[in-house]
Amino acid sequence: MVDVGYLAILLGLCVSVYAAVATVTGARQGNERILRSARGGAASAAILASVAGVILVYFLVTSNFRILYVWQYTSSDLPAFYKFSALWAGNAGSLLLWVWVLSIYWAIVANSRRFQERLAIPYVSAILAINSVFFFFLLAFVENPFALVPGGVTPAEGNGLNPLLQNPGMVFHPVTLYLGYVGFAIPYAYAMGALITRQVDDLWIKVTRRWTIIAWLFLTLGNLYGAQWAYVELGWGGYWGWDPVENASFIPWLTGTAFLHSVMVQERKDMLKTWNMLLIIITYALTIFGTFLVRSGVVTSVHAFAGSALGPYLLGFMGLMLIFSLYLLVDRLKLLQEGREFESYLSKEASFLVNNLLLVGAAFATFWGTIFPLISEAVRGVKVTVGPPYFEQVDGPILLAMLFVLGVCPLIAWQKANWKNLRESFSLPLASAVVFAIILVFAVPGADWRAVSGFAVAFFVLATIFLEFFRGVRVRARMTGERALTALGRLVWRNRRRYGGYMVHLGVVMIAFAVVGSTFFMHEVTRTVNAGEVITVGDYALTYQGMDYRQEGRNTVYFANLAVKKGTRDLGVVRPEKVEYANWPEMSSEVAIMGSLKEDLYVILSGWGNYGREATIEVHVNPLVSWLWIGGYVLVLGTILAVWPGRDRTLGVRYASASTPRGWISEENDRGV
Amino acid sequence: MDPLTLVVGLALVVVVAYLVGAPLLRAEPESPDLEPEWREEEELETRREAVFTTLGEIEFDYQMGKLSQGDYESLSREYKRQAVQVLQEEEKEMEGPVAPGGSIEAEIEKEIEAEIARELAQIRQQKG
């Protein structure tokens, strides 16, 4: 079956090459037979990638150590769940997962019946085929997942999976991230299809809206799962360390978020056409760049894969695609004339533009901070470190400003807001945010002004969201005579796209509260204590009761017992652990977390001595961290609501200028000129 | 190479050859999804939905204070004109008998009322 797996990869490469050539040939000649054959190629690639994927999973689950990849990343005592997740533990497996997802997406797009002619699907398909060719090529000739252990021997036992990867967060994090990364290839391919065929109206945006949102959702989830994994598994007390690999997935998230918002302006106002093209090209390129950072071995990170030969290939492919895309964009620039111009700085479209500039600014700042050590090393031979202080100082204010704009965007009027509109919309949220800030200053004496500003802005956005719901319900109830609850339900359900978006914003606000709270109000104490001694952190008192251990299969788990009290209340016992693996040289930490909506008590066992009579314990009190995960769930629910199928889901509303109204259904647009 | 590998490998090659090759051997296929009539129908339906959605949103945004009185009136007038145009085209498509004496307009008015919601009618009633 090893040969079948590799054969599937080789065949996948061949059909992808064929499909790329056939789609272009078929489209140019208008030959439906060739086009159908190319669509068969796309379906074949999906089948072949699935076959290769299933075979590798089978080898992993059955511990076939003859396969080098299986030997490298699993062992026979590994739980089946983690044997399965070892599919994306190494370069070869994760590239196979990548091409698996990509080829399925490609088959769906190539065989979609809607808008076959209008959107020049063959060219969209050709772009996806080129991506598929590249990744199948890597699997076939650079990182073969079916390579055998040298010497043709079958080792009795495998190397084992890195203990850090044995965590549910690490099971979902890479998958969601890939779904997001690969997902952005779809709107990119449609954008290129639109440019190639010169059909640059906004239909490509309407068709890819759902693809874009779903890709964005997965990328968001990927980042959140990554943060959760770092929080519970890495044991340093935080969830985001501005590590290059974390940044690698955060940067395309920023530009993807900008794209998601700016396309709304094109849909509604026939503006920002070139900007949208540029954003999707950059986002796509950044997904490849992120993959390059993680897999090339150029950065040192706990998240990175071991160094491999992949780097130059990924960089080369990204460069080629960038050159191709930018050439196409420049060549078709005349076709991307804006339908109209900004009428006022005080308008929804202007606020979207500001939001975009902030997001792209944050992306650039993060990108620069991430690659600067590489550039410095290449130019001066000195590898400098750009750490969290840089990112916090540069990104912090930009993201805070972005949060503020997030509150402004939904309330401000399209085209031209007047002062009356602004007063009515913002007086209450602004006043409530100021009151909240004043209360905070008195309630938490000595609070950092940055924390107060962060909370106040988050509260302002929260108030705007509630105001938007409140006003919507009031208008609906007035117009229909419905009761408030009925009006709320129908308002949300019948305007899923709009209110789903507001729910996503609500999730972001929750995340913002969590980030500000945990950044500025965190307490941390590290102490070496003897049995019976107490560690005091904030309101908590932890009494060290001694060390113990238990056997879990071949692994030994050492843990400290700490009785926790908050004030006079007994909260039970926490047990931070260190796990000694039979087949891994380093011990790993398993933190103990006693969580609540208000804060997490986060305890790490740093070490012990004197036969466990003394131990070094690190205790953190991390405020509001639970809201990071709750915000994530709200965000997911909002996104699902926004893309829920139904009437009008693919329709945008174009607000033409009041003086020269023009609907998107006009002949001019309809022909895609 | 074991027989199972050989069989599965061959099966893969056959499946791929069929999916890629069969369309080339078939006669020039009809493409029902590219039929002009189908396209026109879908486009008309899309335009219809878009224009009514727009009308609904214009009304809602105006009530929410996100459109000025001037913009609201202008946009509303324009999209109602487009709604009339779309419905007239639909009427033509259906090739139904044209009712005498402005019945098309009455029909259109009825459609608009139904689509952009009962609530609008209520407001009109309130305004007298």
Side-chain angles (χ1 to χ4, degrees), chain A residues 161-216:
Chain A
L161 185 66
N162 184 338
L164 291 177
L165 303 181
Q166 296 178 38
N167 175 278
M170 208 12 95
V171 174
F172 300 116
H173 163 64
V175 178
T176 46
L177 213 54
Y178 295 159
L179 286 167
Y181 275 176
V182 182
F184 272 110
I186 308 294
Y188 165 77
Y190 271 94
M192 293 304 102
L195 284 177
I196 292 168
T197 56
R198 299 172 190 270
Q199 294 183 332
V200 291
D201 60 349
D202 54 2
L203 205 55
W204 73 273
I205 282 173
K206 290 178 196 300
V207 174
T208 57
R209 191 184 79 87
R210 218 177 273 169
W211 281 106
T212 305
I213 294 177
I214 290 170
W216 178 86

Side-chain angles (χ1 to χ4, degrees), chain A residues 50 86 96 116 143 153 159 237 249 252 260 307 317 335 392 433 472 486 517 646:
Chain A
S50 305
L96 180 54
Q116 278 285 351
E143 287 284 351
V153 293
N159 216 14
S249 57
L260 196 63
F317 181 68
L335 298 171
E392 283 161 7
T486 314

